[in-house]
Amino acid sequence: MKKILLFLLILISLQSFSQKNIYENSRFDELSANHEILAIVPFIAKLELEQSLSKEEQTKLAEREGYAVQDALETYFSRRKKRKKFNVEFQNIKNTNALLAQNNITYENIDIYTVKQLADILNVDGIISGNLDLNILLSKGVPTEFKFLDYFSGDADYGRIGVKISDGFSGKLLWKYEKEITKKTGKNTAELIDRMMKLASKKFPYDKEKKRKKRKN
């Protein structure tokens, strides 16, 4: 019984922590009123690995991590979309990446383009993007050994992730969610995204249920 209560306390604290790290633009409803489709672009990753790597190797590994998050987000949204959880569509990332390539936009230079430019090129209403700071290769998986003290110890800190949604017309930031990456957030990229987005689901701005509650209030 004590173990169950302790687990519940940890779960509640995680949920409340995640909500404190969520920002939503006060004009979200106004700016997103006509949104129908969003594009997920590769995340910009910054690696601080223990091993010594060349600049080229570092760039390739960072690129892999950035695309892994893009893929994991698409998988998460696709599963939820099947249950009709959202009031927007998400552009297929194969189409997104093909359009970026056709316009000579690569992982190395995507950060010099504005949200408005990307939205125009991709023909979408909004852009989902973000940043990763990692000291491990998350796509390869985190160490599997688990210690209870890892919940409270900084030794299990593998970095941080930030997910952003921006309006394609104005370029304004609409929503942002930041979270530390630890053993408890998942053993790889797919688990990390699945767990963190589930924690943020009640605060996700395009959630149909959230929209209904807003109308009632």
Side-chain angles (χ1 to χ4, degrees):
M1 186 65 181
K2 287 182 179 179
K3 288 182 179 179
I4 294 173
L5 288 173
L6 184 58
F7 175 77
L8 289 173
L9 285 171
I10 291 171
L11 186 62
I12 290 167
S13 65
L14 284 174
Q15 289 177 331
S16 61
F17 177 79
S18 68
Q19 291 177 8
K20 287 178 184 176
N21 285 273
I22 294 176
Y23 160 82
E24 184 175 321
N25 193 311
S26 59
R27 295 176 58 207
F28 178 86
D29 289 341
E30 173 192 345
L31 294 169
S32 66
N34 297 317
H35 283 193
E36 294 182 2
I37 185 165
L38 308 180
I40 309 164
V41 299
F43 276 42
I44 303 301
K46 179 183 177 184
L47 302 181
E48 293 183 6
L49 305 174
E50 289 183 1
Q51 61 264 47
S52 180
L53 299 169
S54 68
K55 188 176 180 182
E56 185 180 354
E57 289 173 322
Q58 190 94 352
T59 300
K60 283 184 178 179
L61 290 174
E63 182 175 343
R64 186 175 71 185
E65 298 302 309
Y67 279 104
V69 175
Q70 181 193 31
D71 183 69
L73 274 170
E74 180 185 52
T75 300
Y76 173 81
F77 288 132
S78 295
R79 284 203 306 262
R80 302 271 294 179
K81 188 64 185 175
K82 286 179 181 177
R83 289 179 273 163
K84 300 181 179 179
K85 293 288 184 180
F86 304 120
N87 57 353
V88 288
E89 298 290 333
F90 301 92
Q91 187 176 70
N92 185 303
I93 62 171
K94 286 186 179 179
N95 294 341
T96 299
N97 294 339
L99 288 168
L100 292 175
Q102 288 165 21
N103 286 274
N104 299 313
I105 301 175
T106 66
Y107 183 82
E108 287 80 10
N109 67 16
I110 192 171
D111 59 338
I112 70 171
Y113 289 84
T114 66
V115 167
K116 292 175 71 174
Q117 287 173 324
L118 290 174
D120 185 55
I121 289 167
L122 298 172
N123 193 28
V124 294
D125 304 304
I127 299 290
I128 300 175
S129 61
N131 296 83
L132 274 172
D133 290 290
L134 294 171
N135 55 44
I136 60 162
L137 295 175
L138 185 62
S139 62
K140 278 192 169 183
V142 303
T144 54
E145 311 86 52
F146 175 78
K147 294 178 182 178
F148 183 72
L149 288 177
D150 285 341
Y151 276 102
F152 311 100
S153 169
D155 294 338
D157 185 6
Y158 299 125
R160 194 167 184 84
I161 182 171
V163 180
K164 299 183 293 185
I165 302 176
S166 303
D167 176 39
F169 180 74
S170 66
K172 291 185 179 297
L173 177 65
L174 298 178
W175 188 84
K176 186 175 182 179
Y177 177 26
E178 293 185 323
K179 187 165 181 58
E180 288 183 352
I181 300 169
T182 65
K183 286 181 180 176
K184 63 180 176 285
T185 52
K187 65 175 184 276
N188 53 41
T189 309
E191 278 197 10
L192 163 71
I193 294 301
D194 190 63
R195 290 185 184 182
M196 71 177 280
M197 292 306 292
K198 280 178 180 176
L199 283 174
S201 61
K202 290 182 179 178
K203 295 286 184 178
F204 190 70
Y206 295 99
D207 187 273
K208 283 185 177 180
E209 191 59 36
K210 186 183 175 190
K211 290 280 185 183
R212 287 194 198 99
K213 288 178 181 178
K214 273 189 175 181
R215 291 193 194 102
K216 286 180 181 178
N217 293 335

